[in-house]
Amino acid sequence: MENSIKTTQVLVIDDEQDLRDGAERILTRMECDVFKASRGDEGLDIIKEEEIAIVLLDMKMPGMDGMEVLKIIKDMDKEILVIVITGYATLETAIEAMKIGAYDFISKPYEPEQLRIVVRRAREKFELKREAEQLEAKRKKTLLDLDTEKSRIHTIIESLPNGVVVTNSEGKVMLMNPSFRLHLGIDKSIATGQHIDTYISDKALCNLIMEISRGKHVDFNDIPTYELLLPNNKYLMARGRPVLGDKRECLGAVVNFMDISAMKTLDQLKSEFVAKVSHELRSPLSTIHEQLALVLKEFVGVKSEEDQHMLSRAKEKTRGLISLIGDLLDLSRIESGIVVQEPKQVSLVDLLKDIVDFLGTRAKNKMQSLTLEVPDDPLPIIKADPIALESIFGNLITNAVNYTQDKGAVKVKVEYIGINIRVMVTDNGFGIEERHLDKIFDRFYRVKNDKTRYITGTGLGLPIVKGLVDSIGGFIDVESTFGKGTVFTVIIPVKT
Ligand code: ATP
Ligand code: MG
């Protein structure tokens, strides 16, 4: 095809051999591929076989004459330009041929230059036409490609197992796939185009999607995920991303919904397993611990210092294990929601005094000051589970002492603000880097750096604290400057 643009295929149909050969010579020099036929039917056969662009057709031939051949060529579905060669000044034939669809004519006898002019003209016309056709074909192909690409993406989104919903910058739903409809029980008859809160009833999730749609989270890394609990006990994890335009302007949001019910069940099974194992281990370990303590007493003065040291280390380790098991049990109790035992009337000031007294020894060992600041006016008595409160502040103050250098200061301040009691545990210790702050409440999360590396712990303290604070309807927050210190603030509602 490309090749035939350069060398045009020309067919000469003429009964006079001299004229055929003469035309061939001229046309070959014009870089044409020349085919020759002495009769009409012979010429038509060549047309069927070859990709002929131009036909030089003698009108007057024995047998099938030129006009007849022209008609047949025109009836063929081919873009062939026919130049008719008319006899001595027979203009009528030329006109008639043009009417049927001949492209041009030349009359015998012709000069080589005349032939060159008509053929060149025809060739230009033919090439222009072919170029236009090729352009058109290309355009059609791109459109077709676009179309198939569009439908391909459409098919993929439609068959995704995850729910997908796309909103515009106003929070209107532009697209939702069948999985999304299935998860949220949205009937097929309900069309897109409405605001997101028409389809999702969870207010907090709608707010998050609105924020993403409006471009509040252009930084992909700071977008929180959201767990959605559906009425049929199904858990969905929603994860959204903004759709950004060329200039990084926000065009809307894409939100993906993954069914995490199975993971949740597994998590629950794991917690139950941990709880069971912890429970089973606790009493034998306690027995071992007590027996070690007894044996250790008998060692005094009898066995060598080394033996005593070894045994007391074993006792220490067992105590550590018992405390770990206690933590795990607390955690699983918090997770299953059976934490708050009997809410009792508690004086928070007394409770904090006891804890500060108890932990005073530990602070003294590190030459730290540990102080409690209470308001002049008596605090209202609160109704809560004292064990939960002890665990909350015990953990926070222990952490403050542990993660503060020798000679540091730990301050506990309690005050009554509005309808809540606020307790702040402040230290001037190691501090926590910003990037760890939202993770320290995760189970087993511990910050490892030069200062904390040698401090033992399991990373269960803060998750327990968080669970307990939640269970009494409170609120906990942390602020910290690395290298300077940390403040944990707990808000406890006063219920009357
Ligand atoms: P344990 O389960 O024995 O309490 P832990 O103290 O390591 O172990 P968390 O109480 O959950 O676990 O604390 C998690 C992490 O948070 C700690 O490892 C520590 O790095 C950091 N952290 C907690 N409190 C402070 C604080 N007051 N100052 C600096 N870092 C702290
Ligand atoms: Mg701790």
Side-chain angles (χ1 to χ4, degrees), residues 10 41 49 104 145 147 169 194-195 200 221 242 325 354 392 419 438 452 488:
V10 183
D41 50 354
E49 293 294 314
D104 208 343
D145 283 352
D147 217 42
S169 58
Q194 301 299 310
H195 196 270
I200 299 175
N221 296 324
I325 285 170
D354 283 348
I392 293 170
I419 48 165
D438 59 338
T452 60
F488 279 90

Side-chain angles (χ1 to χ4, degrees), residues 268-278:
Q268 198 183 333
L269 284 175
K270 192 195 68 195
S271 298
E272 278 170 20
F273 173 77
V274 169
K276 232 181 229 157
V277 171
S278 310

Side-chain angles (χ1 to χ4, degrees), residues 311-329:
L311 210 62
S312 60
R313 268 188 60 80
K315 200 186 103 191
E316 273 307 297
K317 291 274 176 209
T318 333
R319 202 175 61 92
L321 277 176
I322 293 169
S323 131
L324 166 64
I325 285 170
D327 282 357
L328 286 171
L329 281 173

Side-chain angles (χ1 to χ4, degrees), residues 287-468:
T287 317
I288 293 172
H289 185 255
E290 269 151 40
Q291 284 170 351
L292 281 173
L294 271 178
V295 177
L296 195 58
K297 246 188 214 160
E298 287 179 7
F299 269 24
V300 180
V302 184
K303 293 275 180 177
S304 70
E305 288 254 321
E306 209 174 305
D307 287 348
Q308 284 182 45
H309 179 69
M310 228 163 63
L311 210 62
S312 60
R313 268 188 60 80
K315 200 186 103 191
E316 273 307 297
K317 291 274 176 209
T318 333
R319 202 175 61 92
L321 277 176
I322 293 169
S323 131
L324 166 64
I325 285 170
D327 282 357
L328 286 171
L329 281 173
D330 276 354
L331 208 64
S332 60
R333 272 217 313 279
I334 293 167
E335 276 176 350
S336 52
I338 38 164
V339 250
V340 183
Q341 291 162 347
E342 270 301 283
K344 288 186 194 133
Q345 302 223 313
V346 192
S347 155
L348 194 59
V349 171
D350 289 346
L351 186 132
L352 286 172
K353 267 185 191 153
D354 283 348
I355 300 173
V356 168
D357 271 356
F358 179 70
L359 292 172
T361 341
R362 194 187 282 231
K364 216 182 256 165
N365 286 340
K366 293 183 79 179
M367 294 163 285
Q368 293 170 340
S369 67
L370 171 57
T371 52
L372 172 66
E373 191 182 315
V374 298
D376 294 336
D377 297 331
L379 283 180
I381 298 285
I382 51 171
K383 249 188 125 182
D385 170 18
I387 297 175
L389 291 172
E390 260 166 41
S391 177
I392 293 170
F393 297 108
N395 265 301
L396 290 180
I397 302 169
T398 308
N399 279 352
V401 171
N402 283 348
Y403 302 108
T404 296
Q405 66 286 0
D406 288 0
K407 299 188 184 149
V410 176
K411 204 172 74 188
V412 183
K413 184 178 177 185
V414 52
E415 56 199 326
Y416 186 40
I417 43 161
I419 48 165
N420 299 313
I421 289 179
R422 178 171 75 186
V423 184
M424 291 164 96
V425 180
T426 309
D427 66 62
N428 62 354
F430 307 147
I432 306 162
E433 280 172 279
E434 171 98 37
R435 63 196 165 99
H436 299 296
L437 274 185
D438 59 338
K439 303 203 190 82
I440 52 172
F441 293 101
D442 292 347
R443 276 179 275 171
F444 300 108
Y445 192 86
R446 306 198 66 227
V447 181
K448 291 248 163 65
N449 57 34
D450 291 345
K451 296 265 168 56
T452 60
R453 198 173 308 281
Y454 303 104
I455 301 169
T456 51
T458 43
L460 286 175
L462 288 178
I464 289 175
V465 169
K466 174 91 173 73
L468 290 171

Side-chain angles (χ1 to χ4, degrees), residues 42-311:
E42 200 184 318
L44 290 173
D45 284 345
I46 296 176
I47 288 174
K48 277 179 207 143
E49 293 294 314
E50 304 292 335
E51 263 192 68
I52 301 296
I54 298 167
V55 176
L56 272 176
L57 177 61
D58 186 13
M59 284 284 102
K60 234 173 120 232
M61 283 183 297
M64 194 188 279
D65 76 349
M67 206 61 84
E68 219 173 309
V69 177
L70 175 64
K71 277 180 194 157
I72 297 173
I73 295 177
K74 284 289 129 187
D75 282 346
M76 287 177 176
D77 197 19
K78 292 201 174 196
E79 305 283 344
I80 297 172
L81 297 177
V82 182
I83 300 167
V84 293
I85 307 166
T86 54
Y88 307 94
T90 46
L91 201 58
E92 289 83 6
T93 327
I95 293 170
E96 201 187 330
M98 300 290 272
K99 272 187 194 158
I100 297 175
Y103 170 67
D104 208 343
F105 71 94
I106 184 167
S107 31
K108 276 182 190 171
Y110 51 78
E111 293 295 319
E113 184 55 19
Q114 277 176 298
L115 181 66
R116 274 197 285 270
I117 290 171
V118 279
V119 171
R120 202 174 290 137
R121 203 158 53 201
R123 182 161 69 177
E124 271 163 22
K125 157 103 181 167
F126 181 81
E127 277 166 11
L128 272 177
K129 205 165 167 193
R130 177 171 286 184
E131 227 165 84
E133 273 169 13
Q134 279 172 351
L135 276 177
E136 175 65 13
K138 223 182 217 168
R139 196 181 64 88
K140 270 195 186 143
K141 187 169 158 6
T142 350
L143 279 179
L144 198 74
D145 283 352
L146 263 183
D147 217 42
T148 44
E149 182 72 3
K150 225 166 95 184
S151 76
R152 197 180 307 151
I153 289 172
H154 183 78
T155 317
I156 293 171
I157 292 177
E158 288 287 296
S159 31
L160 277 178
N162 285 359
V164 173
V165 69
V166 180
T167 59
N168 67 7
S169 58
E170 291 160 24
K172 287 200 175 135
V173 171
M174 298 287 105
L175 182 153
M176 45 187 175
N177 73 348
S179 297
F180 175 76
R181 287 178 181 274
L182 191 76
H183 284 322
L184 281 114
I186 302 168
D187 196 77
K188 259 197 215 138
S189 60
I190 300 173
T192 53
Q194 301 299 310
H195 196 270
I196 185 77
D197 60 16
T198 320
Y199 310 96
I200 299 175
S201 54
D202 190 301
K203 278 258 159 3
L205 178 58
C206 286
N207 285 343
L208 177 63
I209 296 177
M210 276 313 295
E211 279 181 3
I212 303 173
S213 307
R214 288 204 190 108
K216 210 194 136 199
H217 298 277
V218 218
D219 178 12
F220 283 5
N221 296 324
D222 76 344
I223 305 176
T225 53
Y226 190 90
E227 270 182 29
L228 181 66
L229 174 60
L230 297 175
N232 53 0
N233 261 338
K234 216 195 265 176
Y235 281 91
L236 294 185
M237 159 99 88
R239 201 184 277 263
R241 288 276 182 275
V243 181
L244 299 180
D246 291 344
K247 298 181 187 98
R248 284 189 69 75
E249 76 280 21
C250 186
L251 306 174
V254 181
V255 189
N256 178 45
F257 291 83
M258 197 165 87
D259 188 348
I260 53 163
S261 313
M263 270 194 277
K264 280 275 168 192
T265 314
L266 259 173
D267 202 42
Q268 198 183 333
L269 284 175
K270 192 195 68 195
S271 298
E272 278 170 20
F273 173 77
V274 169
K276 232 181 229 157
V277 171
S278 310
H279 194 79
E280 293 295 320
L281 285 175
R282 184 149 68 171
S283 34
L285 265 176
S286 302
T287 317
I288 293 172
H289 185 255
E290 269 151 40
Q291 284 170 351
L292 281 173
L294 271 178
V295 177
L296 195 58
K297 246 188 214 160
E298 287 179 7
F299 269 24
V300 180
V302 184
K303 293 275 180 177
S304 70
E305 288 254 321
E306 209 174 305
D307 287 348
Q308 284 182 45
H309 179 69
M310 228 163 63
L311 210 62

